[in-house]
Amino acid sequence: MNKKRAYYYPVSIYLLVLLMVWIGSFFVDVAQMLSGGSHVNSSLLSAGGIRWAVRNALPAINALPWGIFMLSVVMLGLLRGSGLASALCRLVRFRRLSGSEVRAFAFSLALIVCYILLLYMSTSSPWNLLSGVSEDSSLSPIAQGKVILLFFGVLLMSLIYGYIYGNYRSVMDVFTSTADVFKFYVPAFMALIPASGIVPCLQYAGVDSIIGLPWDVINVTLYLLPFIYQMILGLIRK
């Protein structure tokens, strides 16, 4: 298997699936006409289908969860570049850490405990800084901003660990470690573009009314698979 080509398999597969959906929509449209029932144009290869695709392509791409995936990759880059991820893996395998690793891990753990306590205090009386004004806890700032709060927690732990352990000596080291991970996951981000059009095209073709699949679950699965594939690829080639 060619190493460079393997990185772009998800993009190629999603493009092929999208092409098959377009071609398949033509046959679904023909089958509807031959059935003799009420017919609604569902072919993506028709003039109406092409107009719909051009009109909805950019909104579908804009609807992708770019922010969550980018923050996730940044967090992964921080954990990997600082050396914290390696230390955590060794702890999980019950392997001993060096003295410098123990010192860096202790400082980063103390910091994250302080961060958690600060978040807890910010949701308690008398501050109520991040608690909601309504009884619905899902509408509170801490619930709606949980991803960015998690990001700041990972950022603080990684920076403290990296600088104490010695993997981070300057701000450029932080940027470089994150950029290296971003470069590795570029094919996964590219795969999101054709992935964004698969489910909308299936729905336009009327397949959703025929099969009745949970489209939200399918969308999330399509978005996650390229990143899971890249992660597995990275683990295999270490």
Side-chain angles (χ1 to χ4, degrees):
M1 180 172 64
N2 187 286
K3 291 183 178 181
K4 290 184 178 179
R5 289 182 181 178
Y7 290 116
Y8 295 93
Y9 281 166
V11 185
S12 304
I13 292 171
Y14 280 178
L15 285 172
L16 182 60
V17 170
L18 192 58
L19 178 62
M20 291 172 63
V21 170
W22 274 67
I23 296 173
S25 69
F26 170 76
F27 292 103
V28 171
D29 190 56
V30 171
Q32 286 180 345
M33 286 190 295
L34 294 177
S35 65
S38 58
H39 170 253
V40 178
N41 181 29
S42 58
S43 173
L44 288 159
L45 296 176
S46 65
I50 293 173
R51 285 196 297 269
W52 173 86
V54 172
R55 188 183 299 117
N56 290 278
L58 187 58
I61 295 173
N62 287 334
L64 288 168
W66 295 106
I68 293 177
F69 283 119
M70 290 181 71
L71 282 176
S72 300
V73 172
V74 171
M75 285 190 285
L76 186 60
L78 289 168
L79 290 170
R80 181 176 176 271
S82 65
L84 184 57
S86 177
L88 290 172
C89 289
R90 290 175 66 184
L91 286 173
V92 170
R93 296 175 183 175
F94 299 102
R95 294 182 179 179
R96 294 183 60 182
L97 301 178
S98 65
S100 56
E101 287 176 320
V102 171
R103 184 171 60 255
F105 188 76
F107 273 100
S108 62
L109 187 61
L111 180 65
I112 202 63
V113 169
C114 293
Y115 179 69
I116 292 172
L117 287 174
L118 181 64
L119 290 178
Y120 175 76
M121 292 170 60
S122 66
T123 58
S124 307
S125 298
W127 298 281
N128 292 327
L129 182 64
L130 296 178
S131 59
V133 295
S134 64
E135 295 182 357
D136 190 354
S137 59
S138 64
L139 299 178
S140 64
I142 195 169
Q144 295 182 327
K146 55 184 176 293
V147 175
I148 197 68
L149 292 174
L150 174 63
F151 169 74
F152 277 118
V154 172
L155 175 65
L156 291 172
M157 279 194 74
S158 300
L159 289 179
I160 291 298
Y161 185 94
Y163 277 110
I164 294 177
Y165 183 59
N167 281 350
Y168 289 157
R169 299 182 183 277
S170 66
V171 178
M172 287 306 301
D173 292 334
V174 181
F175 291 154
T176 302
S177 65
T178 307
D180 288 342
V181 177
F182 256 109
K183 182 180 179 181
F184 180 76
Y185 280 94
V186 163
F189 281 104
M190 291 176 62
L192 290 179
I193 297 175
S196 68
I198 292 175
V199 168
C201 287
L202 285 171
Q203 292 173 332
Y204 181 87
V207 179
D208 58 330
S209 59
I210 299 173
I211 303 177
L213 293 173
W215 296 110
D216 290 340
V217 176
I218 293 175
N219 253 336
V220 173
T221 304
L222 287 173
Y223 298 157
L224 288 176
L225 281 177
F227 291 90
I228 295 173
Y229 173 80
Q230 290 295 122
M231 188 177 296
I232 293 173
L233 208 59
L235 292 173
I236 291 174
R237 293 183 176 177
K238 274 190 173 181

